[in-house]
Structures are given as C-alpha cells and as structure tokens.
Amino acid sequence: TDPSDSINTLAWYGSRGYPPTMATITPEIAERLDRSIVIWLTTVTADALPQPSPVWFLHEDGRFIVYSLANAPRVRNLRANPRVALSLNSTDDGSDVLVVEGEAQLEDGPPSTELPAYVAKYAAKVAEYGWTAESFARDYPQRIVITPTRVRAY
C-alpha cells in the first residue's frame, strides 16, 4: 500500500506501529471530543518533567478550552512553557488513540458560565459534585485556550 494514498494511509501506518500526522481534526474525531468528558492535559514542570492532569474541556472552533484552579501547578507550568499535549484515553485494546500537541494561552475570560456549550456538557457532573455553574466558575477561574499544532490519531 502506498502511504501517499489518503484512503489507505491509516492502514499503512497502523501496520507499522506509528501514526500519521493530520493537519486538522476530522469530523469523526470532533464527534469523539464532543462525547468525551475528560481529556489529559500534559504540561512540563520547571524540572522538565511531564505532568499529565485529567481536565474537563470544550473543543470549539478548532481550539480546546479548559478551566483550571488559578493556583494549580499546570498554570504555573504554562506560564513558563506554553507547549502542551492533550490526549484521550484509548480503548482497552489500545486503539482510538488521539494525541493533540499545541500551544496554550492563559486568558482572563470569559468565565465558563458564559459558554453555553461548556455549561451544557458538564451540567450533570457539576450537579453530581454538589456545585452550581456559578460556584464552578468561581473555583476554576483560569481559562486556558489551546491551539493545536499537530494531531495524531490512530
């Protein structure tokens, strides 16, 4: 199989154990992101150690939006190094891998309560933890916006 043939690219790379790089997130990947509750955000500490953290997120307009505790280690890490990786859990057999590399930007707003899609996605979880949308926004005020630079999916 010729790897330049886009129809067979995943099959060709999949049989060799390394994934292709895609410039964009496909509709299938976007659908999975919409269904997923948690994504792993990996930042890098000052000692150059990867620090993965499960976070709630919204994929919107080609970017990822995360809200964080203001004093979380990930925020400190991002101030020093904005390069990140996002990844979804794979299936039990190791398929459906998604890794997104990107650049994170710490922003002052808007709060999560002003993103209807975020509020809707996490309404059940917010209630389950005994929060309200407003208390969540107060506890997690730091908005992090991640712009993908590379997407790997296989």
Side-chain angles (χ1 to χ4, degrees), residues 84-153:
V84 300
L86 296 165
S87 53
L88 288 178
N89 291 332
S90 66
T91 59
D92 288 344
D93 69 356
S95 60
D96 286 341
V97 172
L98 175 66
V99 179
V100 177
E101 297 169 10
E103 295 282 328
Q105 201 170 11
L106 299 172
E107 295 185 352
D108 290 331
S112 59
T113 51
E114 293 183 24
L115 286 177
Y118 190 93
V119 172
K121 183 174 183 177
Y122 292 104
K125 285 291 184 190
V126 166
E128 179 182 327
Y129 292 136
W131 295 322
T132 65
E134 292 74 20
S135 68
F136 176 85
R138 275 192 310 277
D139 292 346
Y140 292 81
Q142 182 60 67
R143 179 179 161 102
I144 303 168
V145 177
I146 299 155
T147 303
T149 56
R150 182 176 182 215
V151 176
R152 294 180 291 143

Side-chain angles (χ1 to χ4, degrees), residues 25-41:
I25 291 175
T26 65
E28 295 81 12
I29 293 171
E31 182 180 315
R32 184 168 176 222
L33 291 167
D34 289 344
R35 287 190 322 267
S36 297
I37 299 298
V38 170
I39 199 164
W40 288 85
L41 169 62

Side-chain angles (χ1 to χ4, degrees), residues 36-99:
S36 297
I37 299 298
V38 170
I39 199 164
W40 288 85
L41 169 62
T42 302
T43 60
V44 180
T45 68
D47 297 333
L49 295 172
Q51 183 179 23
S53 303
V55 296
W56 293 355
F57 73 101
L58 182 67
H59 176 248
E60 186 173 76
D61 299 326
R63 302 178 313 158
F64 293 82
I65 300 167
V66 172
Y67 286 93
S68 176
L69 295 164
N71 60 353
R74 69 179 143 260
V75 173
R76 181 180 56 248
N77 295 345
L78 292 173
R79 290 191 197 292
N81 182 351
R83 295 174 62 198
V84 300
L86 296 165
S87 53
L88 288 178
N89 291 332
S90 66
T91 59
D92 288 344
D93 69 356
S95 60
D96 286 341
V97 172
L98 175 66
V99 179

